[in-house]
């Protein structure tokens, strides 16, 4: 068997080597950020949470849920530490430090208008969730509403956190709030 001449071997090897170098650079940029530094850590200072209509936020069901969510949340690449709220503290709210946006849970909100008889629901660990779409092609955060409990629970989480926050919150909802039929109207 004849070996290809050296110029032919070099002509084949150089593009392959170039492709490997470019792929390595792309992976490094993706993991470390464009400037070569690690992504900034999430903000852990108290978070100012805007007030919203949450008629059942101060009730015993939300208090029980929040008591079960007193701690960190699992996420892709580690855990998200609980984050304090800035004054004035909003009832029925729990927050966690995440990047690029915090994870925010609100309990006791009214039924979402987006919930219709034809809504697609996700079932995560025994809890029915309505995923709300903000119409952005590449969203930074995603919002879910638990729709099969006596109070509505809204979870907004950055897409980079993965499914860990939704799974953990689903587990706590399942054990602290009784299941109810989904009320679409």
């Amino acid at each position: 068997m004849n070996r290809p001449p050296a110029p032919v071997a070099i002509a084949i090897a150089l593009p392959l080597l170039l492709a490997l170098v470019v792929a390595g650079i792309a992976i490094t940029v993706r993991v470390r950020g464009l400037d070569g530094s690690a992504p900034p850590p999430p903000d852990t200072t108290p978070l100012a949470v805007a007030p919203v209509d949450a008629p059942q936020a101060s009730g015993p069901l939300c208090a029980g849920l929040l008591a079960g969510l007193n701690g960190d949340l699992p996420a892709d690449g580690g855990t998200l530490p609980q984050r304090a709220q800035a004054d004035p503290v909003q009832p029925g709210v729990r927050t966690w430090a995440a990047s690029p946006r915090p994870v925010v849970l609100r309990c006791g909100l009214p039924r979402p208008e987006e919930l219709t008889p034809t809504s697609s629901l996700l079932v995560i660990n025994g809890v029915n969730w309505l995923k709300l779409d903000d119409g952005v092609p590449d969203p930074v955060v995603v919002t879910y509403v638990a729709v099969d409990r006596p109070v509505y629970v809204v979870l907004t989480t950055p897409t980079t956190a993965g499914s860990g926050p939704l799974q953990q919150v689903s587990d706590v909802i399942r054990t602290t709030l009784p299941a109810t039929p989904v009320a679409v109207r």
Side-chain angles (χ1 to χ4, degrees):
M1 179 174 214
N2 290 337
R3 287 186 167 183
V8 172
I10 291 172
I12 292 171
L14 279 179
L16 292 174
L17 181 61
L18 180 62
L20 287 173
V21 168
V22 169
I25 291 170
I27 290 169
T28 301
V29 166
R30 174 123 172 120
V31 169
R32 298 202 54 154
L34 294 176
D35 63 357
S37 64
D43 186 359
T44 57
T45 60
L47 178 66
V49 177
V52 298
D53 179 31
Q56 297 178 315
S58 297
L61 292 173
C62 288
L65 174 65
L66 295 183
L69 289 167
N70 215 2
D72 297 346
L73 284 181
D76 281 357
T79 59
L80 305 177
Q82 191 169 337
R83 186 172 174 184
Q85 284 189 66
D87 288 328
V89 173
Q90 301 302 311
V93 174
R94 186 72 82 223
T95 60
W96 293 268
S99 186
R101 302 276 190 278
V103 174
V104 178
L105 178 132
R106 292 179 181 266
C107 182
L109 279 71
R111 187 184 72 76
E113 292 180 14
E114 297 87 351
L115 183 59
T116 67
T118 59
S119 294
S120 294
L121 301 179
L122 302 169
V123 179
I124 308 294
N125 298 351
V127 177
N128 286 291
W129 293 92
L130 173 66
K131 182 178 177 183
L132 299 180
D133 183 5
D134 58 8
V136 176
D138 293 318
V140 174
V141 296
V142 62
T143 299
Y144 300 94
V145 183
V147 296
D148 65 341
R149 304 297 149 155
V151 291
Y152 291 99
V153 178
V154 177
L155 179 68
T156 301
T157 181
T159 56
T160 56
S163 63
L166 184 61
Q167 291 176 5
Q168 179 70 32
V169 169
S170 294
D171 287 343
V172 174
I173 287 174
R174 188 185 68 245
T175 60
T176 59
L177 298 174
T180 62
V182 177
V184 294
R185 293 277 182 219

